[in-house]
Amino acid sequence: MTGEAPLESERHKTILESIIRQYIASAAPIGSRTLSRSTDLHLSPASIRNIMADLEEMGFIMQPHTSAGRVPTDKGYRYYVDVLMQVQRITQEEQERIRREYESRELEVSAVLRQTTRLITALTRKPSLISVPRRDEAALRHLELVAMTPTKLLTVAVFANGVVENVPLDLEQPVTEAAAEQAQAVLNRAGRGRRLSELAGALAPLAADGALAEPARRLAELVAQRLPRLVRREDESVLVDGASMLLDEPDFRDLRSVKDLLRTLENRAALAELLQRELTDERAGVRIGSENAVTDLRDCSVVTASYSIGDLPAGVLGIVGPTRIEYPKMIAILDYVAYVVSDVLSAARGGNGR
């Protein structure tokens, strides 16, 4: 091609966008005759083939096999998302549906996030994933010890990032309400502003000064030792829903590749690392194909959005699908869900929505 660079030409942009939009809709390679009928450029199939050849030479599209039409490459999708794609808003009806999901529901963080994965899967028909705020690494704001029975204690831990943990403890010896109140007071003195892993060390000098009654001291030490282990549940660092949706995608006909993807969605450590990299104050992000650090996601796109609790980013929600996904729709859904979840969780902790 001579003259201006291919994607400075409106014709090239129009053809590339049309190829991508039609391929997303059909999952079939797009040919020049289809494009000549579906665009307003009034170009012959031969002229369109020349433009397609330019786009292929530039790496925006490719020919999957001989005598086929063209399909977008990762580079083509990236240009579409960054330059060509029109920003989309979800409908008022969809907004109301999302809002209704959080009415009259338990506002404990983990319950809200589990509900959110189910909602995202229902809205997108794609596997959804959400990173859960780290509980054991967050600073402790307040502890409450509630004696349910003489030998069962409910520990309510409130963290600075808005997470609330209700942890039952079975006791070997009966405890009185007075002992629970004393233990609660000294644990709050020792632990406020510290991580749970630091609680036992901070408690030791306070418990050893002799001012604390023996039953309260034993109880405080028991809570300080056992609570960090009970709160640290690494298998819940990421919640996943709808993994079986991958089986419905025509892009994943190879059973071996689907199995690899399903195994990846069971690898919570890898998913947690992936989502942590997307934790920002920005709106939805997109990782396309080879941009994904996780090898088994190199044929996928991962669309994410961060949610916050109060003024701080707390976690990331997202979907996994083929690179051939409706990017404007997926981004709009995730961005709005993240906005609502941030409002819900911030209200639950008495903070401000974002």
Side-chain angles (χ1 to χ4, degrees), residues 217-234:
R217 183 189 63 79
R218 288 199 307 267
L219 179 59
E221 290 176 343
L222 176 68
V223 171
Q225 292 167 5
R226 293 179 59 186
L227 188 59
R229 294 196 299 270
L230 293 173
V231 167
R232 190 185 299 115
R233 298 192 293 271
E234 297 299 336

Side-chain angles (χ1 to χ4, degrees), residues 121 125-128 240-249 252 258 261-262 265:
T121 297
R125 307 300 298 170
K126 300 288 184 287
S128 64
V240 178
D241 184 77
S244 62
M245 293 288 181
L246 292 172
L247 300 174
D248 297 329
E249 300 285 358
F252 302 130
V258 173
L261 279 174
L262 292 175
L265 293 178

Side-chain angles (χ1 to χ4, degrees), residues 60-325:
F60 291 101
I61 60 176
M62 61 176 288
Q63 189 174 20
H65 49 80
T66 306
S67 301
R70 303 304 195 272
V71 301
T73 62
D74 291 352
K75 181 179 178 180
Y77 283 125
R78 173 49 62 191
Y79 190 84
Y80 171 71
V81 169
D82 290 347
V83 179
L84 303 177
M85 183 180 74
Q86 297 295 312
V87 176
Q88 183 172 333
R89 291 178 61 87
I90 62 176
T91 66
Q92 186 66 34
E93 181 181 352
E94 289 169 323
Q95 291 182 29
E96 291 173 358
R97 175 185 175 184
I98 291 168
R99 289 281 184 185
R100 284 197 301 270
E101 287 293 326
Y102 299 98
E103 293 177 356
S104 303
R105 291 186 180 274
E106 182 183 357
L107 293 182
E108 197 270 323
V109 172
S110 60
V112 170
L113 297 184
R114 281 193 294 271
Q115 174 61 23
T116 300
T117 58
R118 293 190 289 267
L119 173 62
I120 293 173
T121 297
L123 291 169
T124 65
R125 307 300 298 170
K126 300 288 184 287
S128 64
L129 50 158
I130 296 183
S131 62
V132 178
R134 285 293 301 265
R135 294 158 285 213
D136 57 316
E137 292 300 318
L140 188 65
R141 177 185 293 173
H142 182 68
L143 268 178
E144 289 188 22
L145 305 183
V146 182
M148 308 297 289
T149 70
T151 57
K152 183 177 286 291
L153 189 75
L154 180 66
T155 302
V156 182
V158 182
F159 297 92
N161 63 0
V163 175
V164 179
E165 280 288 325
N166 300 307
V167 181
L169 291 175
D170 291 318
L171 308 175
E172 295 181 359
Q173 298 179 350
V175 62
T176 65
E177 288 188 15
E181 290 175 1
Q182 293 173 26
Q184 175 181 306
V186 74
L187 284 166
N188 278 305
R189 283 175 56 200
R192 189 172 292 112
R194 299 179 184 273
R195 294 177 297 179
L196 283 184
S197 58
E198 301 169 334
L199 183 56
L203 175 68
L206 297 179
D209 68 4
L212 197 62
E214 183 64 18
R217 183 189 63 79
R218 288 199 307 267
L219 179 59
E221 290 176 343
L222 176 68
V223 171
Q225 292 167 5
R226 293 179 59 186
L227 188 59
R229 294 196 299 270
L230 293 173
V231 167
R232 190 185 299 115
R233 298 192 293 271
E234 297 299 336
D235 60 323
E236 292 186 10
S237 60
V238 176
L239 304 177
V240 178
D241 184 77
S244 62
M245 293 288 181
L246 292 172
L247 300 174
D248 297 329
E249 300 285 358
D251 310 73
F252 302 130
R253 294 190 178 95
D254 179 15
L255 187 57
R256 177 177 296 179
S257 66
V258 173
K259 286 182 177 178
D260 290 341
L261 279 174
L262 292 175
R263 277 195 293 269
T264 297
L265 293 178
E266 292 175 355
N267 186 343
R268 298 298 194 265
L271 294 179
E273 184 178 347
L274 180 152
L275 293 178
Q276 182 62 32
R277 287 196 292 268
E278 304 301 323
L279 184 60
T280 67
D281 290 315
E282 303 299 323
R283 55 166 304 182
V286 181
R287 292 287 177 265
I288 300 169
S290 57
E291 297 171 359
N292 286 299
V294 179
T295 302
D296 289 332
L297 295 179
R298 296 281 169 89
D299 292 327
C300 300
S301 282
V302 180
V303 183
T304 59
S306 295
Y307 67 89
S308 60
I309 301 177
D311 297 326
L312 299 175
V316 177
L317 51 84
I319 60 156
V320 175
T323 53
R324 183 192 58 83
I325 61 172

Side-chain angles (χ1 to χ4, degrees), residues 1 5-20 30 35 39 41 43 47-63 70-77 79-80 84:
M1 174 184 172
L7 293 189
E8 292 177 0
S9 159
E10 291 303 317
R11 288 183 173 184
H12 285 75
K13 292 178 182 179
T14 298
I15 293 299
L16 177 59
E17 182 175 8
S18 185
I19 289 171
I20 291 174
I30 309 301
L35 291 168
T39 65
L41 295 177
L43 296 174
S47 296
I48 289 177
R49 281 195 293 273
N50 288 335
I51 295 174
M52 293 172 73
D54 292 334
L55 292 171
E56 186 171 7
E57 183 178 352
M58 295 293 291
F60 291 101
I61 60 176
M62 61 176 288
Q63 189 174 20
R70 303 304 195 272
V71 301
T73 62
D74 291 352
K75 181 179 178 180
Y77 283 125
Y79 190 84
Y80 171 71
L84 303 177

